[in-house]
Amino acid sequence: MRMLIIDDDARTRAFVAEGLRQQGQTVDEAPDGDTGLHMALDGDYNAIVVDRMMPGLSGLDVIQSMRSAGLKTPVLVLTALGAVDDRVDGLNAGADDYLVKPFAFSELSARIQALIRRPPLADRAQMHVVSDLVVDVAAHRATRAGQVLDLTPHEFKLLERLARNAGQAVTRTMLLESLWGFHFDPRANLIDAHISRLRAKVDRGFECDLIQTIRGVGYVLKQPD
């Protein structure tokens, strides 16, 4: 199994990662919430362990962003805050379990295994339909009016992100962060260039344009009013 540990405390992160590796797990580590969110969205993890209190994006911010993006990966929150209200806040943010520091690794391991065995509350949508456009995530296939669209992996990922948020604005920064990471300048025309090529395949030659620009914000996938 593949795990992700998000914690700004290097000692805690190393302790948890080493314990899981000794059990035969593959473990990735993130030293902050921004990096952790990017890895969570781009990776395929069986479970994620995240510290609640981190500079920048907090653990709860990371979880809320993951859930907003449709990611259902089980998440265990580590925290020094053990009050009932704190636990409730974590669960309401989308966490699946809560473990208060200090903790025994045996309990952490048992809780992770329980989360992995637990069936998801809802499966992530595998099919998105917008007008005559169908994005089949499981088959990694997109069609428009029954015609298969010849998309590159990045183009398909862009289209999937737009389709998952159909009818809602998706900013250039959101697309940059979810596809390539934080080291790109959001003012650069990288996204615009990819969207231009995607439009040529999704909209050109069809009755209406589904990929629309929201000036100064980003893009939205929807049927014209």
Side-chain angles (χ1 to χ4, degrees):
M1 290 183 291
R2 189 177 178 208
M3 310 291 182
L4 174 62
I5 313 300
I6 309 172
D7 197 324
D8 65 313
D9 183 82
R11 293 181 63 183
T12 300
R13 193 173 68 247
F15 169 70
V16 173
E18 180 60 25
L20 292 173
R21 289 185 180 114
Q22 288 182 8
Q23 294 181 339
Q25 317 296 353
T26 298
V27 183
D28 292 336
E29 301 178 45
D32 55 69
D34 289 338
T35 304
L37 176 59
H38 170 62
M39 294 173 67
L41 292 176
D42 276 359
D44 183 17
Y45 296 100
N46 297 96
I48 296 173
V49 178
V50 58
D51 183 44
R52 172 167 176 160
M53 300 179 68
M54 294 183 289
L57 283 182
S58 71
L60 300 194
D61 292 333
V62 171
I63 297 169
Q64 289 172 333
S65 296
M66 288 170 48
R67 299 312 186 212
S68 295
L71 198 64
K72 304 297 182 183
T73 308
V75 177
L76 172 69
V77 175
L78 298 178
T79 184
L81 304 175
V84 172
D85 287 346
D86 295 319
R87 294 198 298 271
V88 169
D89 287 344
L91 296 173
N92 285 340
D96 297 278
D97 201 357
Y98 211 87
L99 187 58
V100 178
K101 300 177 181 179
F103 57 87
F105 178 79
S106 57
E107 182 179 3
L108 172 71
S109 176
R111 286 175 179 266
I112 290 174
Q113 294 303 318
L115 289 181
I116 293 172
R117 291 193 301 268
R118 183 187 303 173
L121 295 176
D123 292 329
R124 183 174 177 174
Q126 295 295 300
M127 189 82 71
H128 305 283
V129 180
V130 181
S131 185
D132 57 352
L133 172 69
V134 178
V135 181
D136 187 336
V137 179
H140 208 269
R141 181 173 181 265
T143 62
R144 178 90 193 261
Q147 300 180 33
V148 177
L149 304 178
D150 183 17
L151 304 178
T152 67
H154 272 157
E155 289 167 350
F156 184 86
K157 200 167 185 180
L158 273 176
L159 183 60
E160 179 192 352
R161 181 64 186 267
L162 291 169
R164 244 190 308 127
N165 296 276
Q168 302 177 16
V170 182
T171 68
R172 291 175 176 82
T173 299
M174 290 167 62
L175 292 172
L176 283 166
E177 291 172 354
S178 63
L179 298 187
W180 291 286
F182 290 81
H183 56 285
F184 285 102
D185 184 346
R187 295 170 296 178
N189 64 356
L190 180 64
I191 286 295
D192 294 336
H194 276 78
I195 288 289
S196 178
R197 288 193 288 270
L198 182 61
R199 273 181 165 147
K201 298 179 180 181
V202 172
D203 287 336
R204 185 175 298 167
F206 294 97
E207 184 176 346
C208 62
D209 292 343
L210 299 180
I211 301 175
Q212 302 174 34
T213 300
I214 302 179
R215 191 173 300 277
V217 178
Y219 301 94
V220 61
L221 182 71
K222 70 173 185 176
Q223 187 168 4
D225 298 330

